Amino acid sequence: MADKKFTTTSGIKFDEVYTEPSGMSELPGQFPYTRGIQKDMYRGRPWTMRQYAGFSTAEESNKRYHYLLSQGTMGLSVAFDLPTQIGYDSDHALAEGEVGKVGVAIDSLKDMETLFDGIQLKDITTSMTINATASILLAMYIALAKKQGADIRQISGTIQNDILKEYAARGTYIYPPEPSMRLITDIFEYCSKEVPKWNTISISGYHIREAGSTAVQELAFTLANGKTYLKAALEKGLDINVFAKRLSFFFNCHNNFFEEIAKFRAARRMWANITKELGATDPGAQKLRFHTQTGGSTLTAQQPMNNIVRVSNQALAAVLGGTQSLHTNGYDEALSLPTEAAAKIALRTQQIIAFESGVTDTVDPLAGSYFIEALTNELEAAAYTYIDKIDAMGGSVKAIEQDYIQQEIAAAAYEYQNDIESGDRVLVGVNKFTQQEEVTPPVFRVDDSIRIQQTQKLETLKSERDNEAVKAALQNLSVAAKGTENLMPYILTAVESYATLGEIADELRRIFGEY
């Protein structure tokens, strides 16, 4: 009797893997992984359903995390406010007006303890979207896991930690490229020994796409950055078959359904060949694992309920493209941080795709489609044209320093906006099918008093902690930063003494300078 789980409503059996009538030599789970990194993909287990959240104080974000976990979220994804991202405590003059606005304010280990209050880190996976201060936030997470009694060798999650795309597309960098790359490779080395299940970087195409790139540019610039990180780690003497297993990627999923699917398939194949060329022989080090977020820049403030359809379309493309985890945006995010109601619909969108649509019942169902296979090949070829140019310049750092990547993205963004304004590209509800009276849903607002609350917490912390221990930890970090030692143990010690994020970042600013 056929397994009802893998049959249509009419009782027709789904095959696990479909091949062309003539036979397809490449199968899912086999090099170069075009068709997926696991042989059974979602038949074994669905992708991780993450919801990106973080706002206001650690207390308020903690409430949202408990709510999301109660609704079936399988992993947490933390958004940090801008001061946290660029290494300023909430009481810093430059933090005024930004505390808690686009993410949660985390000033010290005390805030991290509150953020995950009642949540055992050993039982979840956590993704943290943080780059310039990734080493500090990771140290806080490790310190909290230790305080909870967890075996840090068993905790798992991801830090974004991709500073190259910050220079190219987003702007939340602190230090010059060379010391920034040192911090990244220090994290690679430290985690490979101490926190081996942690994904030490999420190489991000998401923000490249949000800045206005095309799908080809997102693919090319992201993998070029990935090559740069591989080479930096190899130059440090790390084993590619070890550290490359803990590299992951973070892609955008935009509106063009088939192009996005082909982009994900091409990315896997390209990364498998790039890692192999650089010496990776372990299949685990050759596999491109990625998280997807639906396109924030595709959301419209006009007729915002239409965004539910856009997000559904993008989420389905990500699933058919073989993503390992997925965040779906709230329909109201063009207006504000997502409300609880919008976050719930976003999560339900993933759950309906996973458990009602039937697309998870077979592996790579679009394989063998002439259009998909041809588009995959064409995207790969176009991306390699960019990568070859970047290699000729000396790699991503040199290409960024020469403003090449930034200019290419800017030109693509300009062309896209011109197409919208001319009407050549239709945006429903924006330049076509508009309506005179717009109905605006309730929006989420962050109270401006958050900075006062955070400042008071910082004052209390500094009066209660052992300030001599903090001073000693920061001095030791300063000495290590002037040398060549791995900085992670020193940052962890500073965090555990309750040195603040701003104090640690400032100590490194004094040694490395600002960019």
Side-chain angles (χ1 to χ4, degrees):
M1 187 175 178
D3 184 344
K4 286 186 177 180
K5 181 180 177 183
F6 298 119
T7 57
T8 68
T9 54
S10 304
I12 298 170
K13 182 179 179 296
F14 284 112
D15 284 342
E16 181 178 344
V17 178
Y18 286 91
T19 59
E20 292 177 321
S22 59
M24 189 177 284
S25 59
E26 184 196 322
L27 295 172
Q30 294 181 3
F31 185 90
Y33 311 108
T34 314
R35 302 190 61 191
I37 61 170
Q38 288 116 10
K39 66 178 182 179
D40 58 352
M41 287 303 290
Y42 308 131
R43 286 170 70 100
R45 62 181 295 273
W47 62 93
T48 300
M49 298 177 195
R50 295 191 185 279
Q51 286 306 109
Y52 186 46
F55 55 89
S56 182
T57 60
E59 290 86 351
E60 290 300 313
S61 292
N62 176 261
K63 291 176 186 176
R64 178 66 65 88
Y65 293 158
H66 279 283
Y67 171 75
L68 290 170
L69 290 168
S70 75
Q71 295 298 308
T73 289
M74 297 152 64
L76 297 176
S77 189
V78 186
F80 298 96
D81 72 357
L82 281 174
T84 302
Q85 292 181 48
I86 53 177
Y88 294 120
D89 289 334
S90 297
D91 60 358
H92 195 284
L94 292 177
E96 187 171 356
E98 293 293 346
V99 177
K101 287 293 175 70
V102 298
V104 62
I106 299 294
D107 292 322
S108 71
L109 176 56
K110 188 73 73 177
D111 284 332
M112 188 69 83
E113 291 166 1
T114 303
L115 185 66
F116 290 102
D117 185 39
I119 300 170
Q120 291 296 310
L121 302 189
K122 66 182 176 60
D123 296 331
I124 61 167
T125 65
T126 304
S127 173
M128 295 190 284
T129 303
I130 196 76
N131 298 286
T133 53
S135 57
I136 304 170
L137 271 296
L138 175 59
M140 289 182 185
Y141 195 89
I142 293 169
L144 176 57
K146 289 168 68 177
K147 288 193 72 172
Q148 289 184 350
D151 177 358
I152 64 169
R153 294 186 63 80
Q154 298 303 317
I155 62 170
S156 61
T158 304
I159 44 171
Q160 193 164 101
N161 199 27
D162 178 5
I163 205 66
L164 292 178
K165 70 97 174 55
E166 295 296 327
Y167 297 123
R170 191 163 174 266
T172 62
Y173 45 78
I174 302 173
Y175 317 112
E178 189 174 332
S180 293
M181 291 295 288
R182 174 188 173 182
L183 284 168
I184 288 169
T185 54
D186 280 357
I187 291 170
F188 288 177
E189 183 179 47
Y190 176 82
C191 287
S192 68
K193 297 173 183 174
E194 305 295 336
V195 199
K197 291 190 175 182
W198 196 268
N199 296 323
T200 50
I201 193 168
S202 178
I203 303 161
S204 177
Y206 185 85
H207 300 102
I208 291 171
R209 193 67 176 278
E210 289 292 281
S213 80
T214 65
V216 166
Q217 289 171 337
E218 178 191 3
L219 178 60
F221 300 154
T222 305
L223 296 191
N225 288 348
K227 277 184 76 171
T228 298
Y229 293 126
L230 289 176
K231 289 180 177 180
L234 287 168
E235 287 170 7
K236 193 165 184 172
L238 303 184
D239 183 350
I240 193 170
N241 285 315
V242 176
F243 75 81
K245 290 180 182 178
R246 304 316 323 163
L247 273 57
S248 66
F249 287 79
F250 173 26
F251 286 113
N252 199 305
C253 200
H254 230 257
N255 282 331
N256 192 302
F257 188 72
F258 293 112
E259 183 176 42
E260 295 303 301
I261 295 167
K263 178 187 76 181
F264 299 134
R265 299 174 90 249
R268 277 193 296 271
R269 186 160 69 204
M270 292 172 71
W271 188 246
N273 284 306
I274 286 168
T275 52
K276 185 177 180 180
E277 288 166 7
L278 290 174
T281 54
D282 188 316
Q286 298 169 341
K287 293 179 181 179
L288 181 143
R289 297 164 297 113
F290 69 100
H291 169 74
T292 307
Q293 182 174 341
T294 56
S297 62
T298 69
L299 303 178
T300 64
Q302 301 92 331
Q303 301 179 27
M305 299 302 284
N306 293 346
N307 293 328
I308 297 174
V309 182
R310 292 186 178 100
V311 169
S312 301
N313 178 65
Q314 294 162 9
L316 182 57
V319 170
L320 291 173
T323 192
Q324 276 61 69
S325 69
L326 177 62
H327 164 83
T328 32
N329 290 330
Y331 65 82
D332 54 1
E333 288 189 54
L335 301 166
S336 72
L337 291 171
T339 57
E340 195 169 280
K344 183 193 287 187
I345 290 173
L347 177 59
R348 293 288 183 261
T349 299
Q350 294 199 49
Q351 291 166 336
I352 289 168
I353 291 172
F355 301 113
E356 294 187 23
S357 71
V359 298
T360 61
D361 293 340
T362 190
V363 180
D364 195 20
L366 296 184
S369 154
Y370 173 81
F371 182 48
I372 286 292
E373 298 297 350
L375 197 53
T376 301
N377 294 340
E378 288 162 8
L379 276 159
E380 180 180 11
Y384 269 126
T385 299
Y386 272 115
I387 290 173
D388 290 344
K389 287 181 184 177
I390 292 168
D391 285 345
M393 292 178 186
S396 287
V397 173
K398 295 295 184 184
I400 289 166
E401 289 174 345
Q402 294 175 42
D403 218 29
Y404 170 71
I405 292 175
Q406 298 94 309
Q407 287 180 7
E408 289 295 310
I409 294 170
Y414 180 74
E415 183 177 350
Y416 183 88
Q417 188 61 34
N418 278 344
D419 287 347
I420 291 171
E421 292 180 9
S422 68
D424 288 345
R425 185 183 300 273
V426 173
L427 282 187
V428 174
V430 176
N431 62 5
K432 198 166 187 177
F433 312 113
T434 57
Q435 57 191 45
Q436 292 297 315
E437 294 185 13
E438 292 281 350
V439 178
T440 303
V443 295
F444 185 91
R445 298 293 183 206
V446 175
D447 194 324
D448 284 326
S449 67
I450 298 305
R451 184 168 185 253
I452 297 171
Q453 295 177 40
Q454 286 297 112
T455 298
Q456 290 171 345
K457 286 195 285 185
L458 279 165
E459 289 173 355
T460 301
L461 173 73
K462 290 176 181 179
S463 69
E464 294 176 347
R465 71 188 184 182
D466 182 343
N467 284 299
E468 286 303 312
V470 171
K471 183 179 179 181
L474 292 174
Q475 286 177 339
N476 289 336
L477 174 61
S478 179
V479 172
K482 291 174 184 175
T484 59
E485 287 183 85
N486 190 304
L487 296 181
M488 277 302 295
Y490 294 95
I491 293 171
L492 182 59
T493 299
V495 160
E496 290 178 323
S497 71
Y498 289 92
T500 69
L501 174 133
E503 289 170 336
I504 296 168
D506 281 347
E507 201 63 46
L508 294 176
R509 279 185 178 96
R510 277 190 278 275
I511 307 304
F512 296 153
E514 289 190 86
Y515 187 71

